[in-house]
Amino acid sequence: MHRLRFAPSPTGYLHVGGARTALFNWLFVKHYGGQFLLRVEDTDRARSTEASTRAIFEGLEWLGLAWDEAVVHQGANLAQHRADAQRLLERGAAYRCFCTPDEIEARRREAEASGDAFKYDRRCDRLPADELARRVAAGMPFVVRFRVPDGETSWDDVVHGVITFPNKDIEDFVVLRSDGTPIYNMAVVSDDIAMRITLVMRGDDHISNTPKQIMLYEALGAALPRFAHLPMIHGVDGKKLSKRHGATAVGDYRHMGILPQAMLNFLALLGWSPGNDIEVMTVPQMIELFSTEGLSKKAAIFDPKKLEWMNGQHLSLLASEALAPLVTDALTNAGLATADQFTSKRAWLIALIDLLKVRSRTIDDIVRQAAPYLSAHVSYDPEAVAKQWKDRPTTVELLSSLRNTLAAIEPWEPPAMEEALRTQAEQRGVGAGKLFQPLRVALTGLTVSAGIFDVLALLGRDRALARIDDALNYLRS
RNA sequence: GGCGGUAUCGUCUAGGGGACCAGGACGGAGCCCUCUCAAGGCUCAAACACGGGUUCGAAUCCCGUUACCGCUACCA
C-alpha cells in the first residue's frame, strides 16, 4: 500500500507550489491507491504560526485535497527524533561534536579566504576516549553529527532516474542541536519512518537533502522509501515565485473567483502532462489519467493568463445551478445583492448566470457584469453615451419609438422581440445594430452586454421600459 | 567556488533513433459567425541552447560548453 505525505512548514499561506506538490501526492494516491497524509513541519518555532497552519488547512480543503488519518505535527514528535538520534549515537553512526558555532564559523571563513570549500574536519570524532568521557561528564554542550560513510549514495528517482552523490562531498552534518532539538533532515527521516511513508514526493529543491536522508535511513536500519522530485514553479521572470509576482497563495485565487477544479487542473499541467493533447480535465479525469510517466523534470513558469482561460473552461463546464451558490456569495460580498433576494427568483438567477458565464473567466467577472441586472438604475458609461447617443434628438426619437414597440410586444419573449425590432429596423431602412446599440446603452449603460433580447427578457418588461424612460429623461435634460 | 539538477515556440507542453521541413494549448495577429462583448470555428507568426561524437539516420543516445535553478546552516 502506498503511503505519501505532504509536509508543508506553516510559515505562510498555502503557496501554489506547495499546492501543486500536495496535488501530485494526492493524485498519486487516488490513482494508484494508498493514503495521503499531512504533516505540518512546525519545528521552526520562530517562523511557524498557528494562523499559517490554519491557512494551509483551508487551502487544502478549498482545493478538495482531503488527507487521510490525523494531521501529524512534527513538533510533537521531538522525543522520537531525539531517540532516533540517540540510536545513531549508540550504533556509532554519529558522534558528539563539541565545536562551537563560533569556532566552526571562524574555520569556514578561513577556508573560504584561502579559496577552499569548507567541510567539517571531523576533529571531534578523533577525540580520545578519556577526553570524550571527561567532556561528557563535565556537561560540555555538544551537537550530534552524523558520520558520513565512504562511498557514494544514489537512488532511482521516480522523475529523474538514477541520481548519485559522492559521499566525500557531503560533510558530517548535524542531526541534533546542542539544545537537543533535531535538525530538519533528522526530523523528516524520523517522521517518515514513523509514518511508514513509501514514496517521498516533494520539490526538487530537496534533491541535495536526499543523500543525507538516505544515509540516515540506512544507519537507522529502516527500509528506504522511493523518492520523486518534482520540478519547481517559477514566476513570469523565471525566478522563484514570490510576492513580487503578485498572487502566489491559493487563497488569492479563490478570492479572485477562480474555481478550485480549475486551479487543480492548471496546477496539474505544471509539471505533468497526460499526453494526447488533453488540457481541460475534471478532477475524476485527472485521477484517472494521472501517471508518474507524465511527470516533467523542468521547472515551469506560472502563467496567470492560462489559469484564467482554464477557469473559463471550467466555468462553462459547470451547470449554472452548481455555480449559483458561488455567484450569490460573491454578489453578496460585493454588496450587489443579498442571498435571500434570490430565494424567490432562483430561475431568474440561473438565467442570469447562463447569460454571463460564457463571457466570464472568473466568478468575479460574472459579478462585474451582473450589476445592470440587479440595480434599480444604471449609470451611463461616458464613452457609451458619446458613441451611441451622439445625436440626442435622434436618439430620443428612436428610443421613444422603441419603447412603444416594446410596450406592445406579446408575449415578452425573445422571438417576439426580435421580430418586432427587426421589422422596425427594416422600416427605418437601417441595420439592426443601429437600434440595438443605443437601446443597449439605455438598458445597461454599456456598449457591451449579452444579446439584446436576452437582456430585455431578463430585465422584464416593466424594468426595461423604466430604463428607457430613465434614458429619455437623461437625454432630455 | 564545490556538488547536484534542468535545457523543444514568449509561456505550459507532445515527442522516448526514421511516422517531425517538430504536434496541441495559453497568449498574439487575422478571418468567419454576429445586434455589441464573449464563446465557438478557421488561418497565420512563433521552438529542438551551442559544439562534438555514436548511427545509414538524432529533438530523441553519449560527451563537453553555455545558461538557468537548487543545495552547500546548531533554517525548513
Side-chain angles (χ1 to χ4, degrees), chain A residues 111-131:
Chain A
E112 274 165 17
S114 58
D116 298 325
F118 175 78
K119 194 176 144 195
Y120 181 64
D121 62 6
R122 221 171 240 189
R123 63 177 66 183
C124 288
D125 194 25
R126 294 188 298 267
L127 251 26
D130 56 339
E131 172 63 11

Side-chain angles (χ1 to χ4, degrees), chain A residues 3-188:
Chain A
R3 288 174 65 84
L4 317 213
R5 99 282 123 129
F6 172 53
S9 47
T11 54
Y13 296 103
L14 181 62
H15 205 262
V16 293
R20 203 278 315 262
T21 300
L23 170 63
F24 284 178
N25 274 280
W26 185 84
L27 282 175
F28 183 99
V29 159
K30 294 299 161 193
H31 180 88
Y32 296 104
Q35 281 95 41
F36 169 61
L37 312 180
L38 180 59
R39 179 171 76 228
V40 179
E41 307 214 319
D42 50 3
T43 48
D44 185 349
R45 290 158 306 269
R47 291 193 298 158
S48 299
T49 69
E50 184 56 36
S52 294
T53 303
R54 272 200 310 276
I56 288 167
F57 290 171
E58 274 168 26
L60 290 174
E61 277 159 9
W62 176 64
L63 290 169
L65 303 181
W67 54 92
D68 305 305
E69 305 182 6
V71 175
V72 173
H73 289 269
Q74 189 162 63
N77 298 147
L78 206 113
Q80 180 65 47
H81 304 157
R82 210 173 285 177
D84 283 336
Q86 191 59 39
R87 269 167 66 211
L88 253 19
L89 214 44
E90 284 159 9
R91 294 177 174 207
Y95 57 91
R96 296 180 180 79
C97 170
F98 301 89
C99 301
T100 67
D102 287 348
E103 287 166 3
I104 299 279
E105 187 47 38
R107 278 181 245 154
R108 173 174 290 121
R109 247 197 284 279
E110 210 174 292
E112 274 165 17
S114 58
D116 298 325
F118 175 78
K119 194 176 144 195
Y120 181 64
D121 62 6
R122 221 171 240 189
R123 63 177 66 183
C124 288
D125 194 25
R126 294 188 298 267
L127 251 26
D130 56 339
E131 172 63 11
L132 177 64
R134 208 208 89 230
R135 292 191 185 188
V136 172
M140 269 183 79
F142 60 85
V143 298
V144 175
R145 277 187 193 272
F146 182 76
R147 187 186 303 104
V148 174
D150 291 335
E152 55 180 36
T153 302
S154 69
W155 73 97
D156 189 2
D157 196 276
V158 172
V159 348
H160 293 272
V162 176
I163 298 179
T164 305
F165 282 79
N167 289 3
K168 66 170 173 55
D169 293 325
I170 301 169
E171 75 170 354
D172 288 355
F173 54 96
V174 173
V175 291
L176 221 52
R177 297 185 184 90
S178 49
D179 67 358
T181 60
I183 234 56
Y184 174 72
N185 284 311
M186 183 72 241
V188 166

Side-chain angles (χ1 to χ4, degrees), chain A residues 355-369:
Chain A
L355 278 199
L356 301 185
K357 75 173 182 187
V358 68
R359 52 210 106 216
S360 300
R361 294 201 147 187
T362 62
I363 301 280
D364 286 20
D365 281 345
I366 295 180
V367 170
R368 269 190 286 278
Q369 297 180 75

Side-chain angles (χ1 to χ4, degrees), chain A residues 172-477:
Chain A
D172 288 355
F173 54 96
V174 173
V175 291
L176 221 52
R177 297 185 184 90
S178 49
D179 67 358
T181 60
I183 234 56
Y184 174 72
N185 284 311
M186 183 72 241
V188 166
V189 170
S190 185
D191 285 342
D192 283 338
I193 291 172
M195 292 167 79
R196 307 192 323 277
I197 299 303
T198 59
L199 202 214
V200 173
M201 188 184 267
R202 76 244 282 201
D204 66 15
D205 48 342
H206 287 287
I207 284 180
S208 34
N209 280 322
T210 307
K212 297 179 187 173
Q213 296 180 189
I214 288 175
M215 290 187 266
L216 254 20
Y217 277 95
E218 287 171 343
L220 254 12
L224 278 178
R226 300 198 71 202
F227 293 91
H229 287 98
L230 272 9
M232 305 267 81
I233 296 178
H234 289 157
V236 277
D237 55 359
K239 297 249 163 52
K240 200 172 164 170
L241 210 50
S242 72
K243 307 100 244 148
R244 292 188 304 104
H245 297 104
T248 55
V250 302
D252 294 339
Y253 291 97
R254 175 186 189 172
H255 294 117
M256 281 166 59
I258 295 291
L259 262 14
Q261 58 268 51
M263 190 76 207
L264 254 18
N265 191 166
F266 174 73
L267 251 20
L269 259 19
L270 254 36
W272 173 67
S273 168
N276 297 116
D277 296 334
I278 297 170
E279 300 257 345
V280 180
M281 292 169 277
T282 61
V283 174
Q285 284 171 328
M286 286 165 52
I287 292 172
E288 165 73 29
L289 262 17
F290 185 79
S291 156
T292 52
E293 301 297 307
L295 255 18
S296 147
K297 304 175 189 181
K298 198 182 115 190
I301 288 172
F302 188 92
D303 179 8
K305 276 273 197 289
K306 189 157 182 176
L307 204 211
E308 286 194 8
W309 166 80
M310 184 64 82
N311 202 58
Q313 297 295 307
H314 282 271
L315 233 32
S316 44
L317 236 45
L318 219 52
S320 295
E321 282 76 13
L323 236 31
L326 299 175
V327 174
T328 12
D329 278 358
L331 248 20
T332 308
N333 288 339
L336 281 168
T338 55
D340 55 314
Q341 201 174 324
F342 298 114
T343 49
S344 59
K345 300 202 302 182
R346 177 135 186 114
W348 183 85
L349 207 220
I350 301 299
L352 175 67
I353 296 174
D354 278 340
L355 278 199
L356 301 185
K357 75 173 182 187
V358 68
R359 52 210 106 216
S360 300
R361 294 201 147 187
T362 62
I363 301 280
D364 286 20
D365 281 345
I366 295 180
V367 170
R368 269 190 286 278
Q369 297 180 75
Y373 305 90
L374 295 169
S375 48
H377 301 281
V378 295
S379 54
Y380 304 116
D381 170 39
E383 281 182 39
V385 171
K387 190 166 180 207
Q388 300 301 338
W389 291 353
K390 211 169 186 135
D391 186 89
R392 294 203 170 199
T394 314
T395 307
V396 167
E397 185 278 322
L398 175 71
L399 289 179
S400 309
S401 152
L402 250 26
R403 189 199 190 286
N404 290 337
T405 306
L406 256 15
I409 282 172
E410 202 59 53
W412 185 252
E413 275 161 22
M417 300 167 189
E418 176 147 22
E419 196 195 334
L421 293 187
R422 288 202 188 274
T423 303
Q424 189 165 353
E426 249 173 72
Q427 285 165 353
R428 286 171 175 266
V430 297
K434 288 274 188 262
L435 269 53
F436 297 172
Q437 280 303 81
L439 178 59
R440 173 170 279 116
V441 177
L443 261 20
T444 66
L446 306 166
T447 54
V448 304
S449 79
I452 199 76
F453 312 117
D454 290 327
V455 173
L456 284 166
L458 207 57
L459 245 23
R461 193 195 310 261
D462 293 348
R463 281 216 290 166
L465 296 183
R467 290 259 162 106
I468 297 177
D469 290 336
D470 283 349
L472 255 11
N473 285 334
Y474 173 90
L475 285 163
R476 284 172 178 141
S477 67

